Amino acid sequence: MGRGKIAIQRIEKSTSRQVTFCKRRNGLVKKTRELSILCDAEVGLIVFSCTGRLYEYSNTR
Amino acid sequence: MGRGKIAIQRIEKSTSRQVTFCKRRNGLVKKTRELSILCDAEVGLIVFSCTGRLYEYSNTR
DNA sequence: ACGGCTATGTATAAAAG
DNA sequence: TCTTTTATACATAGCCG
């Protein structure tokens, strides 16, 4: 996706890594929520950034 | 995505829901792993299907 | 560094086998 | 019902301001 294809390996440039982290984390949460709703599943997602910050998502019943 | 647009709400037809669950769960795991590698983050994903089956993914350090 | 844009790659809904 | 195909929608990499 995007303007060019990227290899799946650690992004070395820290500013790029930070931007990608933010974008993909948002995308992942969205997909996780969609799976939960579409398929009536219970889900939990936990992400710790490399700087130690926590992000999480779960559906509640 | 796909041939038609779908609303984000529970898929009523159980066979369709099952197929979508399988495809989207695989996609979600892939995205989760990619985020972990690209952005050097620790991640955990847990999914319980509506039939009570457990699927999980986490990166190990 | 953030926020928006858009060309392009990827995921996937529906169909076909 | 499982797998494969294909057209289309969606996510996002690189840019620009």
Side-chain angles (χ1 to χ4, degrees), chain B residues 22-37:
Chain B
C22 182
K23 287 182 174 182
R24 281 184 173 251
R25 178 171 45 76
N26 288 338
L28 195 59
V29 167
K30 183 181 178 188
K31 291 256 183 199
T32 303
R33 181 173 44 233
E34 289 182 353
L35 180 68
S36 162
I37 295 171

PDB file of all heavy atoms in Angstrom, chain B residues 22-37:
ATOM      1  N   CYS B  22     -12.874 -16.063   9.198  1.00  0.00           N
ATOM      2  CA  CYS B  22     -11.616 -16.716   8.884  1.00  0.00           C
ATOM      3  C   CYS B  22     -10.681 -15.787   8.108  1.00  0.00           C
ATOM      4  O   CYS B  22      -9.509 -15.633   8.446  1.00  0.00           O
ATOM      5  CB  CYS B  22     -11.893 -17.986   8.087  1.00  0.00           C
ATOM      6  SG  CYS B  22     -10.410 -18.901   7.683  1.00  0.00           S
ATOM      7  N   LYS B  23     -11.202 -15.140   7.077  1.00  0.00           N
ATOM      8  CA  LYS B  23     -10.381 -14.245   6.253  1.00  0.00           C
ATOM      9  C   LYS B  23      -9.877 -13.043   7.040  1.00  0.00           C
ATOM     10  O   LYS B  23      -8.698 -12.704   7.005  1.00  0.00           O
ATOM     11  CB  LYS B  23     -11.172 -13.755   5.051  1.00  0.00           C
ATOM     12  CG  LYS B  23     -11.395 -14.813   3.985  1.00  0.00           C
ATOM     13  CD  LYS B  23     -12.147 -14.216   2.801  1.00  0.00           C
ATOM     14  CE  LYS B  23     -12.252 -15.198   1.658  1.00  0.00           C
ATOM     15  NZ  LYS B  23     -12.928 -14.620   0.491  1.00  0.00           N
ATOM     16  N   ARG B  24     -10.782 -12.383   7.754  1.00  0.00           N
ATOM     17  CA  ARG B  24     -10.398 -11.171   8.468  1.00  0.00           C
ATOM     18  C   ARG B  24      -9.506 -11.473   9.662  1.00  0.00           C
ATOM     19  O   ARG B  24      -8.620 -10.680  10.004  1.00  0.00           O
ATOM     20  CB  ARG B  24     -11.638 -10.398   8.914  1.00  0.00           C
ATOM     21  CG  ARG B  24     -12.264  -9.597   7.766  1.00  0.00           C
ATOM     22  CD  ARG B  24     -13.431  -8.758   8.238  1.00  0.00           C
ATOM     23  NE  ARG B  24     -13.920  -7.870   7.206  1.00  0.00           N
ATOM     24  CZ  ARG B  24     -13.753  -6.540   7.227  1.00  0.00           C
ATOM     25  NH1 ARG B  24     -13.144  -5.957   8.212  1.00  0.00           N
ATOM     26  NH2 ARG B  24     -14.226  -5.805   6.236  1.00  0.00           N
ATOM     27  N   ARG B  25      -9.703 -12.612  10.293  1.00  0.00           N
ATOM     28  CA  ARG B  25      -8.840 -12.987  11.410  1.00  0.00           C
ATOM     29  C   ARG B  25      -7.419 -13.165  10.897  1.00  0.00           C
ATOM     30  O   ARG B  25      -6.462 -12.665  11.488  1.00  0.00           O
ATOM     31  CB  ARG B  25      -9.360 -14.271  12.060  1.00  0.00           C
ATOM     32  CG  ARG B  25      -8.514 -14.769  13.201  1.00  0.00           C
ATOM     33  CD  ARG B  25      -9.189 -15.908  13.948  1.00  0.00           C
ATOM     34  NE  ARG B  25      -9.770 -16.923  13.064  1.00  0.00           N
ATOM     35  CZ  ARG B  25      -9.074 -17.842  12.414  1.00  0.00           C
ATOM     36  NH1 ARG B  25      -7.770 -17.895  12.513  1.00  0.00           N
ATOM     37  NH2 ARG B  25      -9.700 -18.725  11.657  1.00  0.00           N
ATOM     38  N   ASN B  26      -7.257 -13.852   9.783  1.00  0.00           N
ATOM     39  CA  ASN B  26      -5.928 -14.013   9.187  1.00  0.00           C
ATOM     40  C   ASN B  26      -5.296 -12.672   8.840  1.00  0.00           C
ATOM     41  O   ASN B  26      -4.121 -12.444   9.098  1.00  0.00           O
ATOM     42  CB  ASN B  26      -6.005 -14.883   7.929  1.00  0.00           C
ATOM     43  CG  ASN B  26      -6.270 -16.344   8.259  1.00  0.00           C
ATOM     44  OD1 ASN B  26      -6.009 -16.803   9.369  1.00  0.00           O
ATOM     45  ND2 ASN B  26      -6.810 -17.078   7.296  1.00  0.00           N
ATOM     46  N   GLY B  27      -6.098 -11.798   8.249  1.00  0.00           N
ATOM     47  CA  GLY B  27      -5.601 -10.483   7.880  1.00  0.00           C
ATOM     48  C   GLY B  27      -5.169  -9.682   9.106  1.00  0.00           C
ATOM     49  O   GLY B  27      -4.151  -8.998   9.094  1.00  0.00           O
ATOM     50  N   LEU B  28      -5.947  -9.806  10.165  1.00  0.00           N
ATOM     51  CA  LEU B  28      -5.663  -9.057  11.384  1.00  0.00           C
ATOM     52  C   LEU B  28      -4.365  -9.530  12.027  1.00  0.00           C
ATOM     53  O   LEU B  28      -3.544  -8.720  12.469  1.00  0.00           O
ATOM     54  CB  LEU B  28      -6.831  -9.225  12.358  1.00  0.00           C
ATOM     55  CG  LEU B  28      -6.899  -8.258  13.534  1.00  0.00           C
ATOM     56  CD1 LEU B  28      -6.971  -6.817  13.049  1.00  0.00           C
ATOM     57  CD2 LEU B  28      -8.097  -8.585  14.409  1.00  0.00           C
ATOM     58  N   VAL B  29      -4.178 -10.825  12.054  1.00  0.00           N
ATOM     59  CA  VAL B  29      -2.942 -11.377  12.619  1.00  0.00           C
ATOM     60  C   VAL B  29      -1.734 -10.889  11.814  1.00  0.00           C
ATOM     61  O   VAL B  29      -0.715 -10.481  12.372  1.00  0.00           O
ATOM     62  CB  VAL B  29      -2.980 -12.921  12.644  1.00  0.00           C
ATOM     63  CG1 VAL B  29      -1.599 -13.500  12.932  1.00  0.00           C
ATOM     64  CG2 VAL B  29      -3.975 -13.398  13.689  1.00  0.00           C
ATOM     65  N   LYS B  30      -1.883 -10.897  10.497  1.00  0.00           N
ATOM     66  CA  LYS B  30      -0.787 -10.434   9.637  1.00  0.00           C
ATOM     67  C   LYS B  30      -0.418  -8.974   9.925  1.00  0.00           C
ATOM     68  O   LYS B  30       0.743  -8.627  10.095  1.00  0.00           O
ATOM     69  CB  LYS B  30      -1.184 -10.600   8.170  1.00  0.00           C
ATOM     70  CG  LYS B  30      -0.093 -10.210   7.204  1.00  0.00           C
ATOM     71  CD  LYS B  30      -0.542 -10.380   5.762  1.00  0.00           C
ATOM     72  CE  LYS B  30       0.568  -9.920   4.815  1.00  0.00           C
ATOM     73  NZ  LYS B  30       0.133  -9.888   3.418  1.00  0.00           N
ATOM     74  N   LYS B  31      -1.455  -8.134  10.005  1.00  0.00           N
ATOM     75  CA  LYS B  31      -1.245  -6.710  10.280  1.00  0.00           C
ATOM     76  C   LYS B  31      -0.624  -6.488  11.657  1.00  0.00           C
ATOM     77  O   LYS B  31       0.199  -5.601  11.853  1.00  0.00           O
ATOM     78  CB  LYS B  31      -2.578  -5.972  10.226  1.00  0.00           C
ATOM     79  CG  LYS B  31      -3.161  -5.880   8.843  1.00  0.00           C
ATOM     80  CD  LYS B  31      -2.976  -4.512   8.277  1.00  0.00           C
ATOM     81  CE  LYS B  31      -3.622  -4.375   6.918  1.00  0.00           C
ATOM     82  NZ  LYS B  31      -3.065  -3.224   6.184  1.00  0.00           N
ATOM     83  N   THR B  32      -1.066  -7.311  12.593  1.00  0.00           N
ATOM     84  CA  THR B  32      -0.540  -7.184  13.954  1.00  0.00           C
ATOM     85  C   THR B  32       0.950  -7.510  13.978  1.00  0.00           C
ATOM     86  O   THR B  32       1.755  -6.796  14.583  1.00  0.00           O
ATOM     87  CB  THR B  32      -1.306  -8.128  14.901  1.00  0.00           C
ATOM     88  OG1 THR B  32      -2.704  -7.835  14.842  1.00  0.00           O
ATOM     89  CG2 THR B  32      -0.831  -7.954  16.334  1.00  0.00           C
ATOM     90  N   ARG B  33       1.307  -8.573  13.286  1.00  0.00           N
ATOM     91  CA  ARG B  33       2.717  -8.969  13.220  1.00  0.00           C
ATOM     92  C   ARG B  33       3.546  -7.891  12.508  1.00  0.00           C
ATOM     93  O   ARG B  33       4.631  -7.544  12.941  1.00  0.00           O
ATOM     94  CB  ARG B  33       2.853 -10.312  12.490  1.00  0.00           C
ATOM     95  CG  ARG B  33       4.290 -10.807  12.403  1.00  0.00           C
ATOM     96  CD  ARG B  33       4.381 -12.220  11.818  1.00  0.00           C
ATOM     97  NE  ARG B  33       3.509 -12.370  10.649  1.00  0.00           N
ATOM     98  CZ  ARG B  33       2.606 -13.329  10.488  1.00  0.00           C
ATOM     99  NH1 ARG B  33       2.460 -14.258  11.407  1.00  0.00           N
ATOM    100  NH2 ARG B  33       1.886 -13.374   9.393  1.00  0.00           N
ATOM    101  N   GLU B  34       2.995  -7.349  11.432  1.00  0.00           N
ATOM    102  CA  GLU B  34       3.714  -6.309  10.697  1.00  0.00           C
ATOM    103  C   GLU B  34       3.966  -5.074  11.565  1.00  0.00           C
ATOM    104  O   GLU B  34       5.072  -4.520  11.550  1.00  0.00           O
ATOM    105  CB  GLU B  34       2.943  -5.913   9.435  1.00  0.00           C
ATOM    106  CG  GLU B  34       2.954  -6.994   8.370  1.00  0.00           C
ATOM    107  CD  GLU B  34       2.225  -6.584   7.093  1.00  0.00           C
ATOM    108  OE1 GLU B  34       1.588  -5.508   7.086  1.00  0.00           O
ATOM    109  OE2 GLU B  34       2.297  -7.340   6.123  1.00  0.00           O
ATOM    110  N   LEU B  35       2.958  -4.671  12.318  1.00  0.00           N
ATOM    111  CA  LEU B  35       3.138  -3.511  13.210  1.00  0.00           C
ATOM    112  C   LEU B  35       4.257  -3.770  14.192  1.00  0.00           C
ATOM    113  O   LEU B  35       5.115  -2.915  14.433  1.00  0.00           O
ATOM    114  CB  LEU B  35       1.835  -3.223  13.972  1.00  0.00           C
ATOM    115  CG  LEU B  35       1.912  -2.033  14.934  1.00  0.00           C
ATOM    116  CD1 LEU B  35       2.061  -0.724  14.162  1.00  0.00           C
ATOM    117  CD2 LEU B  35       0.683  -1.969  15.836  1.00  0.00           C
ATOM    118  N   SER B  36       4.258  -4.953  14.745  1.00  0.00           N
ATOM    119  CA  SER B  36       5.273  -5.339  15.714  1.00  0.00           C
ATOM    120  C   SER B  36       6.680  -5.231  15.138  1.00  0.00           C
ATOM    121  O   SER B  36       7.581  -4.662  15.742  1.00  0.00           O
ATOM    122  CB  SER B  36       4.993  -6.772  16.170  1.00  0.00           C
ATOM    123  OG  SER B  36       6.123  -7.330  16.775  1.00  0.00           O
ATOM    124  N   ILE B  37       6.848  -5.764  13.921  1.00  0.00           N
ATOM    125  CA  ILE B  37       8.177  -5.781  13.301  1.00  0.00           C
ATOM    126  C   ILE B  37       8.587  -4.394  12.817  1.00  0.00           C
ATOM    127  O   ILE B  37       9.661  -3.901  13.137  1.00  0.00           O
ATOM    128  CB  ILE B  37       8.196  -6.782  12.122  1.00  0.00           C
ATOM    129  CG1 ILE B  37       7.979  -8.210  12.650  1.00  0.00           C
ATOM    130  CG2 ILE B  37       9.530  -6.694  11.374  1.00  0.00           C
ATOM    131  CD1 ILE B  37       7.764  -9.245  11.563  1.00  0.00           C
TER     132      ILE B  37
END
